[in-house]
Every structure is written in structure tokens, then in C-alpha cells.
């Protein structure tokens, strides 16, 4: 009897428990809460991000996010804000925003998969030193591996002789944005577990170094410091490790801001000049040279060790009228001087040139220059038309008035301002000092050849005018001309001696005697005292 009542009472209590746990959405009610007005609706804020966002911050992007970016992310309150931040984070690192794929992000996650597969050693690969460097800086250009350690013959820059080492690897990067050029990084596995650690000194791989000096003296005579490279000195080693620990600088951030926010406006804008020149490459392609210049007086010089240095970053994006991308480039140009010469250095200009082969058409180039020290920036947008050079018509390239004009040498190979076999540095301002030579560079296409002399049947005259009046005329003496197929190069130095200060125009008249056709190219310059 008591057992039956106990069971009945238990069932009754259980039924109340079930009713109490029925979700609210299953219960019928007539009361409906009033939603707040949209302007007063509270934000759906989370003081703590979801696990996915924590993982992104502390694993995915842990090595490449800058301290300021991390601080900004940690201040965000909603998941929507965090999603927008992550989207922007990857976009400002995208080397080609015109494509649908973010090449940087794709490559980064490929690195993540690689390090987790190849560098894991009791801990995930991304947590290892090799994984960290690989994620931050990418695949090294070469790897010297000593997986078993043992006997090791030192190169001369390590002092020579032989010793015994732990397993180690030396990674070599030709260039790293920040650490610099020709960077060597050593990883050592002193425990033999496969977890290679970033070496903090050149001797860390030396298994005998823990003994009584054996690691530094085995089979060597004299002081080893005389054999060291500068990059192996303790101070250089520490400085390199410090730079390796800093996240790589995000590229194209300024271009991204132009894309999303419009032109850059700063309290102290940096002015820049942009010039576009054209040279025929083929019937379908034209070499387009973009020359960008800023006054050094607008740049900030940072003095270290008696050397003053100003660095200007240059960002450029070329877009066709159809919004099809024509190319993106980023580079820097530095101006250095000693402290006594700083005044003279400030009076000069920093100049940069980028050449791109483009098909004929209408384009726009957006250029941003940024002073690395002050952060001041300037924005320039220039529209231009790449000409179509007819295969049969007498025509000419852009006329360049140059501040430097000379034959190129072997040391000029691969450098800027080289056109064919000539070093041509444009004078963007067109201002020359009285007594300074005026360089004139021009290419002429589709000239006819005199069959009796096998020379171009062309007459060339250089005419200087001032206030519309001719002040000097000089015929080409054919020196410095080079006939390469259908291309004739004119590289002329005009002396300004005898000319009074003022504004001038130079005309280059090219007359094809076979066709009896004349074309004219002209440019303006100013002569000052």
C-alpha cells in the first residue's frame, strides 16, 4: 500500500518536472513583448568573441597581425564588427584587389597546412619556430639541412676548423620586407626530438660549446672573431631576430583606402608629380613608363650613426577604362646623405620609375606616395591614352627632356631609367640651371632607308624658340643614332651656354626624305640662374 502511494506520488512529481522543462516556444500565451524602437534597439554585443574568432586571433593570424591591429580587434564588441575586421585584414594584404581571389590569404592557408604537416613535433607545426617563420615570411629560397648533426666543417666565416653539431637547418631568403636582403636563419634541434628552435647565436648548433671552450677552439688557431661576417656579430644577430619577430608590413593598405574611402587626405599632404611616356615595343604592345617624383624638402630625414635617410614608399594601380586591371606595383626610394650634406640633400628630389607593357587603349593610374617616417601621404590620379603605333606610318615616341642622358653600362642592367641602351632620367619639372646640359631623348619608328647609303633617309633638326622666336637651330650630325630594325634612337645633348634665363620650347623636326613626310615632337623647359 505504502509502495503504491510512493510510486503514484513520484509519477506526479515527475509530471510537474516535465511540464516545467517544456520550452517557452511550445507554450501558448497571449502576451507578446513590445519590441523597442529601431533607433533605441540595443546592440547585440558580445563582450567575449566566439571560439572561432578567438582561434583566428590566437592561431590563424597570431604571427602576422600587428600590435595595433590586435588591440583594435580586442576592443570590438559584436561578431559583425569582428567579421568586418577580418575581411578588411585580408583585403589590405591582397596583392591584386581586382581579382576575385585573395592570393595572399590563399597562400597563407596553404602555408598553414604545410607547416602542420611537416613541422609538427609533439606540438602543432604552427606553434614551432620553423612554422612561425614559414607562416610569416613564406618558403625560403634555399635550405641547408643537417638532420643528423655530427661532424661539421666550419666555413671560413665561422672561423674554420671542425666541430660536432646538433641537428640544424639554415634557411636563406634573398629578400624579406623588413629584415632586408640576404637573410640567413638557423634552426637547431638540441633535444633530437624534431622540434627545431630558432638559434639565438651562431654557436647554438655547436654540441661542444657547453664544454670548457671546446666548441670555439677545436682545430682552430687564433681569435675566431676575425673570420666572422658582420651579420654574425652578436648585435647584428639580435637585430635580425628582432626584425623577424615583427609582423610583415601589410602591403597595398593605401591603395585599399583609395578603393574604399576615396582619395587620401592628410593634414600634411605630400605632393608628387607623375609623368607618363610611351615607347613602341610591338604592334600590339607599348612600353609605358611611369615616372614619379617628390621634393626631398617634403620628406622627413631620420639621422642614425651620422647618416641621414629619408624613404618614400610608392604605390601604384593601373586601370583600363573598362575597369580591367592593368597592374599594381609597390616600391620605395631612399635618399641618404651625411649630416653636413643634409641641406643639399633636402634641395634635391626623390624620383622613381616603373615600366609596364600595355596594349593601346585608355587608362588611369592612381599613385600614392608616403613618407615612411612622418606617415604623410599624397594621392595623384592621372588619365592617359596608350597610342596605337601603325606598322607603316612614320611616328615617334614621347619626347623626354632629361636631367641625365648617357649610354648605359653593365652596372645599369636591371635598374630604373634604362631605355634600350640609354640611361634616361626625365626632368619632370623641366627646370635647368644656366650652363646645365639639356638632354633630349626620342625614338622614331618606320623610317625609310636610303638604298645607296644604307642609312635612314631622315633629316633631323633641333629648334629652340623663346617667346615664339627661333633662337637656335641645330641639325643632327648622325652621331648617337642607332638604327635597330624600324627604330631610330635620338639621344641629343644640347648646351644651354649662351642662352638667357627664361622659358623655352624645343622642337625636334623629323623629315623622311623617301616619303617626303615630316613629323614634329616638342617640349617646354625653363632656364634659371
Amino acid at each position: 500500500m505504502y509502495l503504491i502511494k510512493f510510486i503514484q506520488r513520484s509519477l506526479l512529481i515527475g509530471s510537474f518536472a516535465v511540464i516545467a522543462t517544456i520550452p517557452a516556444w511550445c507554450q501558448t500565451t497571449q502576451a507578446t513583448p513590445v519590441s523597442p524602437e529601431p533607433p533605441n534597439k540595443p546592440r547585440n554585443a558580445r563582450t567575449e568573441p566566439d571560439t572561432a574568432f578567438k582561434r583566428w586571433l590566437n592561431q590563424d593570424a597570431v604571427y602576422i597581425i600587428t600590435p595595433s591591429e590586435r588591440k583594435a580587434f580586442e576592443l570590438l564588441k559584436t561578431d559583425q564588427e569582428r567579421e568586418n575586421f577580418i575581411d578588411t585584414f585580408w583585403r589590405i594584404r591582397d596583392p591584386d584587389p581586382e581579382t576575385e581571389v585573395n592570393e595572399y590569404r590563399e597562400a597563407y592557408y596553404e602555408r598553414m597546412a604545410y607547416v602542420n604537416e611537416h613541422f609538427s613535433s609533439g606540438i602543432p607545426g604552427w606553434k614551432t619556430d620553423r612554422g612561425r617563420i614559414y607562416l610569416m615570411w613564406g618558403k625560403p629560397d634555399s635550405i641547408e639541412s643537417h638532420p643528423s648533426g655530427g661532424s661539421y666543417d666550419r666555413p671560413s666565416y665561422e672561423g674554420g676548423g671542425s666541430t660536432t653539431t646538433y641537428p640544424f637547418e639554415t634557411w636563406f631568403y634573398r629578400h624579406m620586407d623588413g629584415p632586408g636582403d640576404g637573410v640567413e636563419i638557423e634552426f637547431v634541434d638540441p633535444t633530437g626530438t624534431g622540434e627545431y628552435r630558432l638559434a639565438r647565436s651562431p654557436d647554438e648548433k655547436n654540441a661542444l660549446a657547453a664544454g670548457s671552450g671546446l666548441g670555439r677552439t677545436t682545430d682552430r688557431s687564433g681569435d675566431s672573431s676575425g673570420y666572422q661576417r658582420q651579420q654574425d656579430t652578436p648585435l647584428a644577430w639580435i637585430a635580425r631576430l628582432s626584425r623577424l619577430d615583427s609582423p610583415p608590413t601589410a602591403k597595398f593598405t593605401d591603395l585599399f583606402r583609395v578603393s574604399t574611402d576615396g582619395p587620401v587626405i592628410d593634414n600634411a599632404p605630400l605632393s608628387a608629380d607623375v609623368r607618363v611616356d610611351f615607347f613602341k615595343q610591338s604592334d600590339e604592345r607599348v612600353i609605358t613608363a611611369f615616372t614619379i617624383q617628390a621634393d626631398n624638402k617634403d620628406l622627413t630625414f631620420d639621422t642614425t650613426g651620422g647618416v641621414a635617410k629619408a624613404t618614400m614608399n610608392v604605390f601604384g594601380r593601373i586601370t583600363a577604362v573598362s575597369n580591367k586591371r592593368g597592374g599594381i606595383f609597390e616600391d620605395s626610394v631612399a635618399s641618404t646623405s651625411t649630416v653636413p650634406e643634409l641641406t643639399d640633400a633636402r634641395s634635391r628630389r626623390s624620383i622613381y620609375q616603373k615600366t609596364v607593357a600595355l596594349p593601346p587603349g585608355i587608362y588611369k593610374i592612381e599613385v600614392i606616395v608616403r613618407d615612411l617616417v612622418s606617415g604623410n601621404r599624397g594621392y595623384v590620379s592621372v588619365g592617359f591614352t596608350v597610342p596605337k603605333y601603325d606598322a607603316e606610318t612614320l611616328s615617334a615616341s614621347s619626347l623626354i627632356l632629361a636631367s641625365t642622358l648617357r649610354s648605359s653600362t653593365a652596372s645599369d642592367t636591371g635598374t630604373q631609367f634604362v631605355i634600350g641602351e640609354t640611361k634616361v632620367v626625365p626632368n619632370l619639372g623641366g627646370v635647368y640651371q644656366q650652363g646645365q646640359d639639356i638632354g633630349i631623348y626620342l625614338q622614331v619608328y618606320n623610317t625609310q632607308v636610303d638604298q645607296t647609303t644604307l642609312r635612314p633617309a631622315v633629316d633631323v633638326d633641333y629648334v629652340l624658340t623663346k617667346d615664339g622666336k627661333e633662337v637656335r637651330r641645330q641639325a643632327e650630325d648622325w652621331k648617337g643614332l642607332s638604327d635597330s630594325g624600324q627604330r631610330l634612337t635620338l639621344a641629343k645633348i644640347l648646351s644651354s651656354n649662351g642662352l638667357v634665363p627664361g622659358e623655352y620650347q624645343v622642337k625636334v623636326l623629323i623629315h623622311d626624305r623617301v616619303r617626303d613626310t615630316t613629323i614634329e615632337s616638342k617640349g617646354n623647359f625653363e632656364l634659371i640662374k
Side-chain angles (χ1 to χ4, degrees), residues 168-188:
F168 74 96
E169 289 184 355
T170 302
W171 290 12
F172 176 77
Y173 290 86
R174 292 189 179 90
H175 175 76
M176 303 170 91
D177 292 334
D181 297 323
V183 179
E184 288 185 359
I185 307 170
E186 280 192 357
F187 301 93
V188 181

Side-chain angles (χ1 to χ4, degrees), residues 497-510:
N497 291 330
L499 298 177
V500 299
E503 296 182 354
Y504 291 83
Q505 183 179 78
V506 57
K507 296 181 182 179
V508 182
L509 305 176
I510 302 105

Side-chain angles (χ1 to χ4, degrees), residues 111 130 155 183 213 223 244 385 409 484 504 512 515:
R111 295 179 198 171
R130 287 188 301 174
V183 179
D223 183 7
L244 289 173
T385 300
T409 62
S484 177
Y504 291 83
D512 188 324
R515 290 193 178 100

Side-chain angles (χ1 to χ4, degrees), residues 116-127:
N116 285 332
E117 180 181 353
H118 292 85
F119 299 151
S120 298
S121 57
I123 59 175
W126 68 270
K127 286 188 173 182

Side-chain angles (χ1 to χ4, degrees), residues 49-252:
D50 285 346
T51 303
F53 293 112
K54 289 183 178 180
R55 174 175 176 175
W56 180 85
L57 181 66
N58 298 316
Q59 177 175 331
D60 290 16
V62 63
Y63 301 132
I64 60 174
I65 191 169
T66 65
S68 59
E69 287 175 326
R70 171 178 285 274
K71 182 177 180 180
F73 186 86
E74 291 173 343
L75 293 175
L76 300 178
K77 299 299 183 182
T78 69
D79 287 348
Q80 184 61 51
E81 290 176 344
R82 296 178 183 107
E83 288 178 1
N84 293 339
F85 180 98
I86 293 173
D87 179 65
T88 301
F89 176 89
W90 292 119
R91 288 178 68 189
I92 64 175
R93 289 162 170 79
D94 186 358
D96 193 350
E98 305 297 334
T99 61
E100 294 183 1
V101 176
N102 186 323
E103 292 83 1
Y104 180 89
R105 182 175 56 194
E106 294 291 321
Y108 184 80
Y109 279 108
E110 287 178 4
R111 295 179 198 171
M112 180 69 76
Y114 181 87
V115 300
N116 285 332
E117 180 181 353
H118 292 85
F119 299 151
S120 298
S121 57
I123 59 175
W126 68 270
K127 286 188 173 182
T128 66
D129 282 352
R130 287 188 301 174
R132 175 172 64 85
I133 296 299
Y134 198 97
L135 284 171
M136 292 175 69
W137 305 104
K139 180 181 179 181
D141 294 295
S142 64
I143 297 178
E144 178 186 335
S145 182
H146 300 264
S148 302
S151 180
Y152 173 66
D153 294 327
R154 295 187 185 90
S156 59
Y157 54 79
E158 289 186 7
S162 300
T163 189
T164 299
T165 68
Y166 300 116
F168 74 96
E169 289 184 355
T170 302
W171 290 12
F172 176 77
Y173 290 86
R174 292 189 179 90
H175 175 76
M176 303 170 91
D177 292 334
D181 297 323
V183 179
E184 288 185 359
I185 307 170
E186 280 192 357
F187 301 93
V188 181
D189 178 18
T191 62
T193 60
E195 182 183 345
Y196 286 77
R197 301 172 185 172
L198 185 64
R200 301 290 168 178
S201 73
D203 280 330
E204 197 160 323
K205 63 178 176 289
N206 196 338
L208 301 181
S212 55
L214 293 177
R216 300 296 296 168
T217 59
T218 304
D219 293 344
R220 289 189 296 182
S221 60
D223 183 7
S224 65
S225 61
Y227 296 93
Q228 286 184 330
R229 299 170 298 180
Q230 192 278 334
Q231 66 190 61
D232 293 327
T233 60
L235 288 178
W237 198 280
I238 293 171
R240 182 165 62 251
L241 292 177
S242 176
R243 290 192 293 268
L244 289 173
D245 285 338
S246 301
T249 303
K251 292 187 175 183
F252 313 113

Side-chain angles (χ1 to χ4, degrees), residues 402-424:
S403 58
T404 300
L405 182 64
R406 60 172 174 79
S407 297
S408 61
T409 62
S411 61
D412 294 320
T413 303
T415 62
Q416 300 176 44
F417 308 108
V418 175
I419 307 174
E421 298 179 354
T422 311
K423 182 86 169 183
V424 186

Side-chain angles (χ1 to χ4, degrees), residues 280-315:
K280 180 180 178 182
Q281 183 184 55
S282 66
D283 292 342
E284 302 300 327
R285 291 279 175 174
V286 176
I287 296 297
T288 307
F290 303 97
T291 307
I292 300 151
Q293 178 180 276
D295 291 331
N296 282 354
K297 63 181 178 60
D298 296 331
L299 301 176
T300 303
F301 282 80
D302 185 23
T303 303
T304 304
V307 177
K309 181 178 180 180
T311 304
M312 178 180 72
N313 266 22
V314 180
F315 307 81

